[in-house]
Amino acid sequence: METLYDPAWAESWDAVGLVCGDPTQPVRKILFAVDPVAVVVDEALEYGADLIITHHPLYLRGTTSVAATTFKGRAIHRLIRNDVALYTAHTNADVADPGVSDALARAVGLSGELRPLQPSADDPRRGLGRIGTLTAPVPLREFAGRAASGLPRTAGPLRVAGDPERPVATVAVSGGAGDSLLGAARASGADVFLTADLRHHPASEFVESEGGPALIDASHWATEWPWLADAAERLTSALAARGINVEARVSRIVTDAWTSTTP
Ligand SMILES: [Zn+2]
């Protein structure tokens, strides 16, 4: 994992790598998931996983206790009691090439070449978000429909800001909360920017200022989930090339925070 997703690429505020587990312990089965939450631990135990690899950290900020009095402490206890390790690849997976947004771009229908929306300073081949071009322009409503069917289903629909008939050829995407890339999306000349967790004021100001891309707001979990299969494939192939066979499963449990919508 550290060869594919170098921990040095992670943001300074991030917490990536091994959360719990003994590095000398053999690993035969790996469960990939977005969130290190209780239902994912349940699935890991049922599957007989030795390792869970999640995108989101369990502890992003420091803690002074892993007592089983919080959901995080309970997760740690259950993992250690059952000899299951937990490993996180977060912002280092976001900026990897290929990384989280490459998988998202493919899921929403971009088949051609992709480049980072905000290239990393140390290596412009890596970076946050991706931008690419559709093989033929389509109206925004059609692109949104394709994106919705390409992403895993969650409780809510995709939200769209922009003229539904607007032609879309160039598409910018960013897995997870993409507020910070609104400026890069505008500067990129994309026709639409698809991300998650967009808030009213940044989104409203963005669409009121003419000349920028339309916006599509998807569920946070759905925008990051497509990366799991890519990471599982890259890891198991890299290990197989060294003669090491591990089994990997991608969790299909929807752990998005939003669980239902009104009719
Ligand atoms: Zn995320």
Side-chain angles (χ1 to χ4, degrees), residues 34-35 55-57 90 94 100 175-177 197 220-221 223-224:
V34 173
D35 296 296
H55 183 50
H56 289 145
H90 190 213
D94 286 331
V100 172
D197 292 354
H220 189 125
W221 176 89
T223 61
E224 296 177 331

Side-chain angles (χ1 to χ4, degrees), residues 219-241:
S219 105
H220 189 125
W221 176 89
T223 61
E224 296 177 331
W225 185 84
W227 169 73
L228 302 176
D230 186 48
E233 168 57 29
R234 292 183 79 206
L235 179 63
T236 53
S237 301
L239 290 170

Side-chain angles (χ1 to χ4, degrees), residues 31-240:
L31 179 69
F32 283 80
V34 173
D35 296 296
V37 293
V39 288
V40 168
V41 177
D42 292 343
E43 183 179 5
L45 299 186
E46 172 264 317
Y47 174 50
D50 307 295
L51 171 65
I52 305 174
I53 295 178
T54 62
H55 183 50
H56 289 145
L58 180 65
Y59 290 100
L60 188 56
R61 293 171 188 89
T63 186
T64 55
S65 169
V66 293
T69 50
T70 66
F71 84 89
K72 296 186 181 191
R74 280 191 289 279
I76 290 289
H77 276 68
R78 292 177 71 208
L79 292 169
I80 294 175
R81 269 198 216 112
N82 291 282
D83 274 337
V84 184
L86 174 63
Y87 183 95
T88 299
H90 190 213
T91 53
N92 48 331
D94 286 331
V95 299
D97 175 25
V100 172
S101 292
D102 290 278
L104 169 61
R106 301 298 178 218
V108 301
L110 290 167
S111 54
E113 198 175 310
L114 300 170
R115 57 188 168 83
L117 184 53
Q118 185 175 283
S120 297
D122 59 333
D123 182 352
R125 289 167 302 178
R126 293 189 289 99
L128 289 171
R130 290 295 183 273
I131 183 164
T133 311
L134 298 173
T135 46
V138 293
L140 175 60
R141 58 173 168 71
E142 188 176 330
F143 174 73
R146 284 188 200 175
S149 53
L151 290 172
R153 191 167 285 274
T154 52
L158 301 188
R159 300 187 298 178
V160 181
D163 177 356
E165 300 307 323
R166 173 187 180 150
V168 168
T170 306
V171 177
V173 302
S174 184
D179 265 4
S180 68
L181 291 177
L182 283 170
R186 177 179 290 279
S188 74
D191 301 308
V192 64
F193 177 42
L194 183 151
T195 187
D197 292 354
L198 289 177
R199 293 170 298 145
H200 172 77
H201 289 296
S204 169
E205 288 171 18
F206 189 84
V207 293
E208 286 297 318
S209 314
E210 284 174 17
L215 296 175
I216 299 182
D217 185 64
S219 105
H220 189 125
W221 176 89
T223 61
E224 296 177 331
W225 185 84
W227 169 73
L228 302 176
D230 186 48
E233 168 57 29
R234 292 183 79 206
L235 179 63
T236 53
S237 301
L239 290 170

